[in-house]
Amino acid sequence: MMRTESDVDYIYHATNMERAFDIAQEGLKPHRPWEFTDQETWPDGGTERRVYFSRDLDSIWAFAPEEGRPVALRVPVDAVVLRGDGTGDVFARKRVPSDVIEFLCDDGWRLIAELMLGE
């Protein structure tokens, strides 16, 4: 995997390859804390649907699903309405459309829609 650094113009999210294909089709959908994680509430005690991001690419790997090949996603910071939870992470409450999501592959960042094209 190509090494890259965080860019202040982007926020980052970790997933796995299987979910990345779903995200390529449907976008990045908010979910409740108990969906895809082993927690009952978000770090601030909330339970509404959220998509969590980090401004630091290196920190997202701790949140990648345990199963499957981990994949880093990034979204332009100005493409979503962000909120904070007091932990330093940020989240969105609305679906992030796939046309603004990129994934990190061996040759750099590419639009996630390219996963569906087999490129």
Side-chain angles (χ1 to χ4, degrees):
M1 177 88 37
M2 177 182 177
R3 293 297 304 158
T4 187
E5 294 182 13
S6 299
D7 182 323
V8 296
D9 294 326
Y10 290 89
I11 49 178
Y12 301 91
H13 179 87
T15 191
N16 64 23
M17 187 55 79
E18 179 182 341
R19 291 184 188 149
F21 281 103
D22 292 339
I23 293 166
Q25 290 183 319
E26 303 171 1
L28 194 49
K29 294 180 180 181
H31 61 274
R32 303 260 185 206
W34 52 86
E35 300 170 328
F36 306 113
T37 72
D38 58 358
Q39 57 192 356
E40 295 182 22
T41 65
W42 296 120
D44 63 359
T47 60
E48 76 278 357
R49 296 179 190 278
R50 299 178 180 179
V51 178
Y52 264 85
F53 297 95
S54 176
R55 296 181 190 280
D56 177 35
L57 176 60
D58 288 334
S59 71
I60 65 168
W61 299 113
F63 301 101
E66 293 179 11
E67 71 284 345
R69 178 179 163 212
V71 176
L73 305 180
R74 76 176 187 177
V75 174
V77 73
D78 61 358
V80 293
V81 175
L82 295 173
R83 302 180 188 282
D85 69 1
T87 66
D89 291 326
V90 291
F91 64 89
R93 291 189 174 145
K94 305 250 184 213
R95 182 183 72 86
V96 179
S98 59
D99 63 349
V100 298
I101 303 170
E102 297 177 343
F103 74 103
L104 184 60
C105 59
D106 291 337
D107 59 351
W109 293 100
R110 297 174 71 173
L111 284 174
I112 199 163
E114 293 180 21
L115 285 175
M116 300 313 298
L117 302 174
E119 295 184 2

